[in-house]
Amino acid sequence: MSRLLLVDDDTEVLALLKKFLEQHGYSVDVATDGQALWRALERQLPDLVILDVMLPGDSGLVLCQRLRSEHSMAIIMLTAMSELSDRVVGLELGADDYLSKPFDARELLARVRAVLRRTGEVRSVLHERPRPVLEFAGWQLDVTRRELRSPDKVLIPLSAGEFELLLVLAEHPQRVLSRQQLLDMARGEAYDAFDRSVDVQVSRLRRKLDAERSRSSMIRTIRHIGYLFTPNVVVKR
């Protein structure tokens, strides 16, 4: 049973969503602000956090940024703001998906299922055979552990979206991939995403991968087409 943590200062919304998601087989904890969120994490880490942007004290965006720096669980942001720029900010800070209020609970359920499916938190993933470690330019991407380590063996935190995108790029080195191909391979053809999300994820990956590479980027932009992963990749099993 996957565990969810709902964070919203509207207690009525919390109660309704908690009941609905529990009816569909999830274990659900709730929190009304940042302090309650951290207390909940101390008790037990969830598989996914559903996080409202407008909260008393630290905003959902601030909490998202800290969550992503300290933990690897998936994050879905909820907001009453529907502007594209707001969605981009959420993705920049590490959210895996974004849902604007008001929304139908069935849509939230669908997104929860999709994010958990992508991040490997469903039970079936536990029975997969071990997958390889991909090495490139001194970096190591451990597919089974879903971990990225720098040439200095430092663990680099990645959001679920960043990991899936980097995995697709590393599995197709020196091949130009369009934004739509990246979306399809990383998240599935049925995933409802907008092309700009790929650009956001690539920008974040570049900042993490290229911090010590001032001359060139490992992920090269091919104008009007997509992206090219430049390093040679060695597969170790």
Side-chain angles (χ1 to χ4, degrees), residues 83-95:
E83 292 295 324
L84 176 60
S85 59
D86 299 319
R87 297 163 64 189
V88 170
V89 169
L91 291 169
E92 283 276 11
L93 294 176

Side-chain angles (χ1 to χ4, degrees), residues 117 119-129 131 146:
R117 187 164 56 245
T119 55
E121 296 295 345
V122 292
R123 288 181 179 274
S124 60
V125 79
L126 298 177
H127 303 291
E128 290 182 356
R129 291 181 298 173
R131 298 176 68 184
R146 300 179 68 86

Side-chain angles (χ1 to χ4, degrees), residues 27 41 44 70 93 103 128 196:
S27 176
L41 294 184
Q44 186 169 356
E70 297 180 6
L93 294 176
F103 57 84
E128 290 182 356
R196 181 67 190 279

Side-chain angles (χ1 to χ4, degrees), residues 13-28:
V13 169
L14 281 182
L16 290 173
L17 290 179
K18 176 179 171 65
K19 180 178 180 180
F20 176 80
L21 292 168
E22 287 178 340
Q23 288 174 340
H24 286 82
Y26 294 98
S27 176
V28 183

Side-chain angles (χ1 to χ4, degrees), residues 199-214:
D199 298 329
V200 171
Q201 302 281 21
V202 167
S203 176
R204 288 165 51 193
L205 280 175
R206 280 175 171 160
R207 288 199 294 269
K208 294 177 180 182
L209 291 171
D210 302 334
E212 300 176 1
R213 292 166 56 96
S214 59

Side-chain angles (χ1 to χ4, degrees), residues 127-183:
H127 303 291
E128 290 182 356
R129 291 181 298 173
R131 298 176 68 184
V133 174
L134 306 181
E135 295 189 354
F136 52 90
W139 293 76
Q140 290 188 333
L141 185 66
D142 189 319
V143 184
T144 300
R145 296 177 179 271
R146 300 179 68 86
E147 291 180 349
L148 175 67
R149 292 191 179 273
S150 73
D152 297 328
K153 308 304 180 186
V154 176
L155 181 64
I156 307 299
L158 296 178
S159 70
E162 289 170 343
F163 175 85
E164 296 296 344
L165 180 59
L166 180 57
L167 178 59
V168 169
L169 290 167
E171 288 180 335
H172 301 81
Q174 287 124 42
R175 173 182 167 186
V176 178
L177 298 174
S178 69
R179 290 173 176 80
Q180 190 57 54
Q181 285 176 312
L182 289 169
L183 280 172

